[in-house]
Amino acid sequence: MSQHDERDDDGALPRPEEGNPRRERGRELVPDAWRAYDDTLADDPLPGDAPAEAKDWLADQRTMHGLLRALHSQDAAAREGRIAAVLARIDAEPAAAARRRWFAVAAAALLLATFGFWALLPASLPTASAAVERAVQALARDVAQRFHVEVVRAGASGRERARHEFELVTSPGGRFRLDGRLEFGGLQFGEFTLGSDGAEVWALGGNGAFRLASPLADKDRLQQRFGDVIDLGYLDVHALVRRLPEDCELRVVAREAGADGRPQLRIEAESKRDDVRARLRSAWLLCDEATGMVTRIEIDAVGEGFSRRFVLQHLGEQPAGLAAFGRPW
């Protein structure tokens, strides 16, 4: 740091004022002899001991320049340390980001395992009582339903002896109408119609040669007239399904797709009674899971010396006004 001296008119330096030399001596009132002891101008060793009166000034100089050197140090080791720290931070950032990504993946997997796994599982099956109750409610609507009915009779040996096919229209309140042909041993007989308007049961066959009518309350006695050809109790589908919880042990065994792809519930029924008469021993039914409507029923019944399979396949609703349950004569 260079300084220019100011001299008086005769060229001599003014003498320092009395008092504190550090406070009273100005920056330009420094003898040249003192400057040789200022190591801030050169890194060479000092030329001997400085005068006692110059020590305060030298202390100020060295303190100030020491601070400036420390502030503007070009220390290579410190600079390399700072660079290394910056590089380490740069290298650590991708690793930290990767750890954050893996943490997010792990958290998502945990949430999926906790909640998503259960959401992916198929819905649990409803209870049999709930499924059958929905079927009863669907059949209880004041709408006529159409079914294709097949009755297969076999002897004690299991050999098929008769097969009958009918079209059934049924409605709640004991109303039904069954139309078809009777077949025994491969021989088909004339048209046969059996119906009920909820108060009376009637039958018509043989091109009108055979007629029968009886109060519905006497259907057990009337059943004896039909023998093992048809069971009147299976024609009122609403009443049949409604009685299942009373007569059978029920369980929902599967959920399966119907012919139209809609989910259906398969319900199995086992009779609670060991009845020797021709009564239901076991059955299974399919119900549309969305609507509750019965789409198929298969019933196995046994009697003295024979067995019978009764199959109902739902065909849809009968258009209003086309269902005639009263006797035609």
Side-chain angles (χ1 to χ4, degrees), residues 23 36-37 44 104-106 115 126 138 149 155 161 169 214 241 251 258 298:
R23 302 302 180 191
Y37 298 96
D44 297 333
V105 172
F115 301 103
V149 178
R161 292 185 176 179
V169 178
S214 176
V241 176
R251 62 193 183 105
E298 291 195 17

Side-chain angles (χ1 to χ4, degrees), residues 261-291:
R262 294 168 61 89
Q264 301 187 86
L265 299 175
R266 178 180 288 267
I267 304 171
E268 290 186 351
E270 292 289 337
S271 178
K272 297 178 181 178
R273 299 176 298 182
D274 187 12
D275 200 335
V276 297
R277 295 174 299 170
R279 291 292 184 267
L280 183 151
R281 286 299 183 88
S282 64
W284 62 265
L285 59 156
L286 291 176
C287 299
D288 187 287
E289 189 169 9
T291 65

Side-chain angles (χ1 to χ4, degrees), residues 1 16 22 42 45 47 59 75 85 91 107 123-124 130 133 176 194 206-207 211 229 247 271 281 302 304 320:
M1 179 177 179
R22 297 181 64 181
D75 182 21
D91 292 339
S124 60
E133 178 60 28
F176 58 82
L194 177 67
N207 295 322
R211 296 182 180 184
V229 175
D247 299 339
S271 178
R281 286 299 183 88
V302 295
E304 294 184 10

Side-chain angles (χ1 to χ4, degrees), residues 16-313:
E17 299 179 2
E18 297 295 329
N20 188 346
R22 297 181 64 181
R23 302 302 180 191
E24 298 177 1
R25 181 175 291 115
R27 295 177 55 191
E28 303 302 330
L29 304 179
V30 178
D32 290 337
W34 293 8
R35 299 181 185 279
Y37 298 96
D38 184 3
D39 66 348
T40 61
L41 301 179
D43 291 333
D44 297 333
L46 294 178
D49 293 333
E53 60 272 19
K55 289 183 178 181
D56 287 339
W57 175 79
L58 289 174
D60 288 341
Q61 289 290 94
R62 295 179 181 182
T63 299
M64 178 57 66
H65 287 279
L67 291 175
L68 292 175
R69 284 187 176 183
L71 180 62
H72 299 286
S73 175
Q74 299 299 320
D75 182 21
R79 183 171 61 254
E80 291 179 0
R82 288 193 297 272
I83 294 174
V86 171
L87 293 177
R89 181 66 178 271
I90 294 174
D91 292 339
E93 187 61 27
R99 287 194 297 271
R100 288 194 293 270
R101 286 195 298 271
W102 280 111
F103 177 79
V105 172
L110 179 61
L111 290 175
L112 179 62
T114 306
F115 301 103
F117 175 75
W118 299 107
L120 295 176
L121 290 178
S124 60
L125 295 174
T127 63
S129 58
V132 171
E133 178 60 28
R134 289 198 67 205
V136 171
Q137 293 176 2
L139 291 167
R141 295 183 302 124
D142 190 18
V143 177
Q145 304 290 343
R146 297 171 52 241
F147 292 87
H148 177 266
V149 178
E150 183 180 67
V151 182
V152 179
R153 183 185 183 278
S157 64
R159 180 181 178 182
E160 182 179 314
R161 292 185 176 179
R163 179 184 294 268
H164 314 297
E165 294 191 32
F166 307 98
E167 293 296 319
L168 171 67
V169 178
T170 180
S171 188
R175 296 174 295 173
F176 58 82
R177 181 184 176 111
L178 186 77
D179 291 279
R181 290 178 177 271
L182 299 178
E183 179 184 329
F184 295 94
L187 299 177
Q188 288 190 353
F189 293 82
E191 295 289 338
F192 174 77
T193 303
L194 177 67
S196 169
D197 60 2
E200 182 183 58
V201 179
W202 54 269
L204 180 65
N207 295 322
F210 172 76
R211 296 182 180 184
L212 175 66
S214 176
L216 185 59
D218 295 336
K219 68 177 182 179
D220 289 340
R221 183 174 59 85
L222 186 62
Q223 179 66 56
Q224 297 175 5
R225 301 285 299 272
F226 295 107
D228 59 354
V229 175
I230 195 69
D231 193 321
L232 297 177
Y234 300 156
L235 302 181
D236 185 351
V237 180
H238 174 249
L240 169 65
V241 176
R242 187 182 58 197
R243 289 195 310 268
L244 282 178
E246 301 175 8
D247 299 339
C248 302
E249 297 289 345
L250 303 174
R251 62 193 183 105
V252 179
V253 296
R255 176 183 286 112
E256 55 190 68
D260 57 359
R262 294 168 61 89
Q264 301 187 86
L265 299 175
R266 178 180 288 267
I267 304 171
E268 290 186 351
E270 292 289 337
S271 178
K272 297 178 181 178
R273 299 176 298 182
D274 187 12
D275 200 335
V276 297
R277 295 174 299 170
R279 291 292 184 267
L280 183 151
R281 286 299 183 88
S282 64
W284 62 265
L285 59 156
L286 291 176
C287 299
D288 187 287
E289 189 169 9
T291 65
M293 175 56 66
V294 174
T295 59
R296 186 178 179 88
I297 303 176
E298 291 195 17
I299 298 171
D300 287 321
V302 295
E304 294 184 10
F306 73 93
S307 64
R308 184 168 53 201
R309 176 175 289 271
F310 192 79
V311 181
L312 298 95
Q313 181 69 46

